[in-house]
Amino acid sequence: GGTLEDLRPVVLEFLEKYNYDNPSKKMDLVLFNDALEHLLRINRLMEMPRGSGLLVGVGGSGKQSLVRLSSYISRSIQFQITLTKSYNKAAFLENMKELYTFAGHQCKPTTFLFTESEIKDEVFLEYINSILLTGDIPGLFAKDEIMAITADLRATFLKERPHDEDTQDNLKQFFVDKVRDNLHLMICMSPMNAKFATRARKFPGLVSCPTIDWFL
């Protein structure tokens, strides 16, 4: 078992590579022990099927930067919504379709970084709650879209689930399972926010499904 000291140069190298590959999103991260420990926790979740995290800490504690670095280390597709004045529920669902395409259709590890400043409408949390609890957002895809996706996944389904019949229901469930296995939600929230407790009560999946990491 290596120590944090053994790990630091490795992580620093990844950080340099990240900054070289993403010059417009350069990160000046100070990798003190606390940050390394959080990075390890986040990375462990990203390497686990269905690993998601609720990162709780005040602004500026490095939650987002560590998620970005971790998904870079794990070669995971990194996704974050881009808020505009007109960003709304329909735009959010379009983004969810993109995520589902990466994670469930292309079966690629995908990280969805979501912060409380992006909760433009509380309904976003309803969808996230649903993804965490069941992996599904009812009605996200039109029927013809689902038919096309499941047709593409059929060969993989037959290989991975030889004892199951390739009914439309089974194929749809296979798609949802792939999404759940590959999609890592990293939700960043501040305990100082007055709405934090209310949201935790209203959307129980936010607290019961992800692993909670406290940034003290």
Side-chain angles (χ1 to χ4, degrees):
T3 63
L4 284 178
E5 290 315 314
D6 302 332
L7 198 74
R8 192 173 277 108
V10 181
V11 175
L12 275 169
E13 201 176 319
F14 272 117
L15 180 60
E16 272 175 32
K17 278 192 186 134
Y18 174 92
N19 284 337
Y20 182 77
D21 289 348
N22 304 278
S24 66
K25 297 187 207 141
K26 262 184 93 129
M27 297 194 292
D28 292 321
L29 260 183
V30 182
L31 292 169
F32 48 89
N33 288 357
D34 254 11
L36 281 176
E37 281 169 10
H38 286 297
L39 181 76
L40 282 178
R41 276 181 213 132
I42 293 167
N43 201 254
R44 199 175 304 139
L45 292 170
M46 281 187 193
E47 296 287 341
M48 269 164 52
R50 307 190 180 197
S52 285
L54 173 62
L55 315 182
V56 184
V58 293
S61 49
K63 303 184 293 294
Q64 294 187 55
S65 303
L66 290 175
V67 168
R68 288 196 187 99
L69 183 56
S70 178
S71 62
Y72 180 77
I73 291 171
S74 288
R75 294 190 171 86
S76 174
I77 293 170
Q78 157 86 49
F79 189 87
Q80 191 168 10
I81 64 179
T82 308
L83 276 191
T84 56
K85 275 203 171 65
S86 59
Y87 194 92
N88 58 8
K89 180 177 138 180
F92 185 82
L93 288 173
E94 273 308 309
N95 281 155
M96 292 310 99
K97 282 169 87 161
E98 276 181 81
L99 284 180
Y100 272 55
T101 304
F102 295 143
H105 193 177
Q106 300 169 12
C107 303
K108 290 179 176 160
T110 306
T111 301
F112 177 31
L113 173 58
F114 185 69
T115 72
E116 65 192 349
S117 59
E118 291 156 345
I119 307 171
K120 208 170 167 188
D121 183 333
E122 294 291 314
V123 77
F124 295 1
L125 288 177
E126 218 165 283
Y127 295 131
I128 284 178
N129 191 49
S130 184
I131 296 170
L132 287 164
L133 289 168
T134 66
D136 199 17
I137 295 178
L140 182 61
F141 290 94
K143 194 145 184 231
D144 58 324
E145 291 176 313
I146 277 289
M147 297 298 278
I149 291 169
T150 50
D152 287 345
L153 288 174
R154 192 169 166 269
T156 319
F157 171 87
L158 292 171
K159 200 162 71 208
E160 290 185 21
R161 301 194 176 169
H163 306 301
D164 292 352
E165 233 181 304
D166 58 343
T167 61
Q168 188 52 34
D169 279 350
N170 283 350
L171 285 162
K172 166 111 201 297
Q173 189 53 50
F174 183 65
F175 169 56
V176 170
D177 289 342
K178 283 282 175 216
V179 170
R180 295 191 87 174
D181 289 346
N182 288 310
L183 183 58
H184 303 285
L185 279 79
M186 292 290 158
I187 304 159
C188 301
M189 291 192 164
S190 163
M192 308 305 276
N193 189 322
K195 291 182 178 167
F196 181 67
T198 324
R199 285 169 171 161
R201 275 194 301 272
K202 199 170 163 200
F203 306 108
L206 283 180
V207 178
S208 64
C209 298
T211 299
I212 302 177
D213 185 9
W214 287 89
F215 283 66
L216 296 171

